[in-house]
Amino acid sequence: MGALSITGIKPGSTSLKLTAGKITKTVPITVLSRNLLSYGPAEGNGLTATVNTDGSLHVTGTATGQWRGLSWTFPCPVQGTVKLSGTSIAGLSFNIKCLDAKVQQLGDQMNLGNSVMAIPAGTVSLLLNVISAEATPTAKDGDLRIQLESGTTAHEWMKPDNTSLKGGGL
């Protein structure tokens, strides 16, 4: 028997038709985004996020205070080591927290300062925060391209598979 290796080029769905003699099988194939995040429109604490056509987040407004902003919680899609990367807006920060089944934080939060981390055992969901880092927040109007991916190497930003997850204030 031979082996067959398939490499996805871009996210999407297709099928593979395999034939051996008189037997034919069609196998569905789905290529997922390398970006493991889920996010979408959100509003709270003076900030509003909308999703651009390329899948990046557009953030506007003035946060109501330092460390206040927006958040999204979604199931943890992977175990092992992950890399957080992205572009920022001056005065805003983003981080990811690993949560257990009781919605308690496990381990340290991930941010650009410690962007490679192992997902702690027991993690069932992730919390993405976009918050003001300014003691006196100023008006924001810009785009964020945040990426969380398996491994230790940052690759070119890619739109997440889920950009319709409703977020809220933090």
Side-chain angles (χ1 to χ4, degrees):
M1 291 289 296
L4 182 63
S5 176
I6 300 171
T7 301
I9 302 294
K10 63 182 183 176
S13 296
T14 188
S15 62
L16 179 64
K17 186 175 179 180
L18 303 171
T19 302
K22 294 182 179 182
I23 301 172
T24 299
K25 294 287 182 182
T26 301
V27 180
I29 296 174
T30 301
V31 177
L32 299 175
S33 173
R34 164 175 69 248
N35 192 341
L36 304 172
L37 295 177
S38 292
Y39 54 67
E43 187 172 349
N45 296 311
L47 294 177
T48 300
T50 55
V51 179
N52 293 318
T53 56
D54 71 353
S56 61
L57 279 174
H58 185 76
V59 180
T60 59
T62 304
T64 56
Q66 187 175 29
W67 313 128
R68 306 293 294 174
L70 304 169
S71 67
W72 297 262
T73 302
F74 54 95
C76 183
V78 68
Q79 296 297 313
T81 302
V82 292
K83 170 79 174 167
L84 178 64
S85 60
T87 60
S88 195
I89 298 169
L92 289 182
S93 176
F94 55 86
N95 64 62
I96 296 177
K97 296 178 181 178
C98 298
L99 306 176
D100 65 14
K102 295 181 180 179
V103 196
Q104 299 297 310
Q105 183 175 335
L106 297 170
D108 295 330
Q109 71 183 23
M110 290 178 261
N111 53 46
L112 291 181
N114 63 345
S115 62
V116 175
M117 292 185 67
I119 300 288
T123 299
V124 297
S125 59
L126 299 178
L127 173 66
L128 169 63
N129 297 311
V130 174
I131 55 177
S132 174
E134 299 171 320
T136 304
T138 58
K140 305 299 171 206
D141 186 359
D143 297 328
L144 294 173
R145 287 175 181 80
I146 307 169
Q147 181 154 289
L148 181 70
E149 57 190 305
S150 291
T152 59
T153 304
H155 296 89
E156 183 177 329
W157 182 83
M158 178 181 277
K159 174 185 177 178
D161 289 322
N162 183 359
T163 56
S164 61
L165 178 67
K166 183 153 177 55
L170 170 73

